[in-house]
Amino acid sequence: MIYRAAIFDLDGVLADTARLHLAAWRQVAQELKRPWAEDTSENLKGLERMASLEVILGEERDQFSDREKIDLANTKNRYYQKLIRSLSPIDLLPGAGELLAWLHEKQIPIALASASKNAQAVLQALEISHYFSTIADPEQSAPKPCPDIFLAAAKGLQVEPELCVAFEDAVAGVSAIKAAQGMIAIGVGSENSLRNADYIVCSLEDFNPRDFFLSAIRAADVS
Ligand code: B16
Ligand code: MG
């Protein structure tokens, strides 16, 4: 198969920000005196803001009004925005900068499919905005594990989903890719939690883009 485009999740794939989302939620959980279960961190990965809050509230979720939930989500976002103010290119995850630069140099189009409404600010802080041809809008897409945001990213790039390689660190994100009309899922992280992915790498450093995209470049060169 000749792949023609790359689609990236942001938090936990390109940027070391999953820990900042978790720190902000932990602060909210502590203030609410909610327990933090062993699997809470993994369960929160890739979930959009209000769905994350439901996980934090657990069985107490029905005791909060919609207004209170919005206030709590806004509080978490303020904590998160404070934390991302200190981000810089050193917060790119291993291999991320090199992979983006390689794809860019080979003229393989790149899109972002992040659930985060703070994604643009994070891309700017990391100084990688210029690599992206398309940033799918999470406000216009059903949340992961629905495939919508990955399909919107492929559409934005004008590349068929089955010709896109997409990268995710979250179980919900890998499920979203696998539901996206033949898109290939590269799980970035642990084999235990991401076993639905087509390929799994510990980090982007272990991903060899030549195995996936070089034939596309050769085909493009001769056409
Ligand atoms: P925000 P991703 C996701 O980004 C994060 O993994 C998740 O922890 C966060 O709750 C979600 O974005 C929403 O982020 O509150 O900034 O809108 O992994 O899809 O890039
Ligand atoms: Mg992620």
Side-chain angles (χ1 to χ4, degrees), residues 9-11 21 25 44-49 52 76-77 80 113-118 144 168-169:
D9 173 55
L10 178 62
D11 299 310
H21 279 291
W25 280 124
L44 286 176
K45 274 189 192 170
L47 290 190
E48 59 85 36
R49 205 177 302 162
S52 301
K76 179 268 174 179
N77 198 43
Y80 181 67
S114 168
S116 177
K117 298 178 181 78
N118 294 293
K144 302 168 188 178
E168 256 292 348
D169 69 313

Side-chain angles (χ1 to χ4, degrees), residues 136-203:
D137 182 354
E139 306 216 49
Q140 301 296 321
S141 302
K144 302 168 188 178
C146 290
D148 297 28
I149 196 157
F150 286 96
L151 292 173
K155 196 172 176 191
L157 294 173
Q158 297 183 292
V159 176
E160 294 300 315
E162 69 266 27
L163 299 180
C164 296
V165 177
F167 299 81
E168 256 292 348
D169 69 313
V171 176
V174 168
S175 302
I177 300 169
K178 292 304 295 170
Q181 300 172 11
M183 204 173 277
I184 292 293
I186 310 290
V188 183
S190 113
E191 239 172 82
N192 283 343
S193 51
L194 301 176
R195 60 178 80 88
N196 279 351
D198 296 294
Y199 302 90
I200 299 171
V201 290
C202 290
S203 86

Side-chain angles (χ1 to χ4, degrees), residues 4-17:
R4 297 198 172 276
I7 303 178
F8 289 90
D9 173 55
L10 178 62
D11 299 310
V13 170
L14 295 173
D16 191 13
T17 42

